[in-house]
Amino acid sequence: MSSQEPVRALRCLCLVVSLGAGVPASTAGVMLSGYLDIGLYRDFARVSHVGTLQRSNIALSGEEDLEGGLRLTFRLSHRLELDTGAVEGAEKNPFWHDEATVGLRGDAGTLRVGRALDVIHANAWAFDPWDNFNRIASPAWQLWHSNYVTDRVSNQGAPEPARLSDGVFYDSPQWHGLTLQASGSPERSATAGGGGGHALGMALGYQHAGAQGLLAHARNRAGDRDTFLGLKTHWIGVTWMVGYDHSRHADVRPSTGRALTLGASRTQGPWTLKLGGGRLVKDAGASRFLGLGLDYGFSKRTVLSFSAGHLRPPSRVQHALGLGLTHRF
């Protein structure tokens, strides 16, 4: 990435926002939103940091009424490290790392094209108390998130853990609580291993009366496969969730990972208590993790959070602590 690319992209963003502000809302809408996270933490290697515990992004999204029940949609989302202002993973990630899609939405569902989360990562966050991303406390992040990558080489030759580039994404309307989603790409990658196949994923979701379920399966261009099962319900004032992930790498000696995670969260006034843990069995080794979090909401958009993690890999026990501040706009 050239040093001028982020500057050019931000100039374009500002130009589009300024132009969109003058367009009637009945014809088109442009919205600037984001999630900013910064904190102090000590990681599992006992190194202290000032940085992002969860994620920080700035997004530009909008839609236009094309009449006849059809709407055009778009989303551009940039991930950044708030402590330095740098692109998240600048050495390998594109500027619009989080999402870059344009699509059509109608009675038959939504179809998008570009770069976005595949069907597993677009849905599995709902079954982890920390939405699958917290460097200190999230069991999903510690145990299964990195076991399967959506593409081995799409980020300038580096693996992409969650997003599919050159992708096509479909989200169906809800029918009696059921939804169907698909993600894939017609493009092959001859350098990705496994013969350079197509990426393809399907997800079936269900939501009704406080209960939620998900069954998703995906295959990347290298032939690696991942299956995720998630369940969530609300009972006695607590949200309970369970996730099971089974990954398999298409190598000469296939590497498999099986992770089971459990989580719970309870909100009382401005306070939210989170607890999660699980176990990963990968090849001949096993890891266990326990995460604890306590959030205080100054408002619906600004939250102070404490995170703690206890990781027991095959070699030694590790601990991590963090205190962060997040603001959503």
Side-chain angles (χ1 to χ4, degrees):
M1 176 185 296
S2 70
S3 60
Q4 295 300 313
E5 183 177 345
V7 176
R8 290 195 297 266
L10 281 176
R11 286 176 178 170
C12 291
L13 185 152
C14 294
L15 177 61
V16 173
V17 171
S18 63
L19 291 175
V23 178
S26 60
T27 303
V30 178
M31 182 176 67
L32 183 66
S33 61
Y35 189 88
L36 305 179
D37 177 273
I38 192 73
L40 303 172
Y41 66 98
R42 188 178 186 185
D43 64 20
F44 292 97
R46 301 180 181 179
V47 178
S48 297
H49 300 269
V50 174
T52 298
L53 277 75
Q54 299 182 88
R55 63 177 68 83
S56 292
N57 79 291
I58 297 176
L60 181 67
S61 60
E63 60 181 40
E64 180 181 4
D65 188 353
L66 302 178
E67 301 182 353
L70 196 63
R71 302 187 73 87
L72 180 138
T73 69
F74 73 89
R75 180 177 174 85
L76 298 170
S77 182
H78 165 65
R79 292 275 285 267
L80 70 153
E81 298 289 358
L82 204 59
D83 54 321
T84 64
V87 177
E88 182 185 270
E91 70 283 356
K92 60 183 179 64
N93 290 337
F95 184 81
W96 299 112
H97 165 55
D98 196 30
E99 184 172 340
T101 60
V102 64
L104 295 172
R105 186 175 74 240
D107 294 340
T110 301
L111 184 68
R112 295 173 294 147
V113 181
R115 173 186 171 92
L117 293 168
D118 78 334
V119 291
I120 288 182
H121 296 90
N123 294 283
W125 61 268
F127 304 94
D128 176 84
W130 291 269
D131 298 341
N132 278 15
F133 192 98
N134 181 295
R135 294 173 179 173
I136 303 299
S138 167
W141 178 256
Q142 298 294 336
L143 295 179
W144 70 260
H145 194 275
S146 62
N147 294 335
Y148 168 80
V149 297
T150 55
D151 198 299
R152 293 188 183 184
V153 296
S154 64
N155 287 348
Q156 301 183 47
E160 165 52 47
R163 290 159 184 83
L164 179 64
S165 294
D166 308 307
V168 180
F169 309 88
Y170 171 73
D171 303 307
S172 78
Q174 189 177 92
W175 183 71
H176 295 291
L178 291 171
T179 56
L180 177 67
Q181 294 176 289
S183 63
S185 175
E187 294 194 13
R188 297 177 182 267
S189 177
T191 61
H198 295 291
L200 182 63
M202 301 287 289
L204 181 65
Y206 178 76
Q207 190 167 1
H208 178 70
Q212 187 174 351
L214 173 71
L215 176 61
H217 179 79
R219 174 192 185 277
N220 65 18
R221 294 180 175 100
D224 305 328
R225 299 175 184 273
D226 192 60
T227 301
F228 181 84
L229 174 65
L231 299 170
K232 182 163 70 173
T233 189
H234 190 77
W235 181 57
I236 59 172
V238 179
T239 300
W240 307 89
M241 56 200 76
V242 58
Y244 174 76
D245 185 79
H246 185 187
S247 60
R248 182 179 178 87
H249 290 248
D251 293 321
V252 177
R253 295 180 61 187
S255 174
T256 62
R258 298 184 301 277
L260 177 66
T261 59
L262 305 173
S265 67
R266 177 180 172 84
T267 298
Q268 186 71 40
W271 297 94
T272 299
L273 179 65
K274 302 176 181 179
L275 182 66
R279 184 172 186 263
L280 166 67
V281 178
K282 192 172 183 179
D283 297 333
S287 300
R288 295 176 178 84
F289 180 81
L290 181 65
L292 174 68
L294 182 62
D295 295 351
Y296 178 80
F298 292 105
S299 68
K300 292 182 178 180
R301 298 185 299 168
T302 303
V303 177
L304 181 69
S305 62
F306 168 77
S307 303
H310 173 86
L311 179 63
R312 184 186 293 272
S315 56
R316 61 190 178 92
V317 177
Q318 300 170 308
H319 306 280
L321 295 171
L323 183 67
L325 182 67
T326 60
H327 177 71
R328 188 191 308 270
F329 65 91

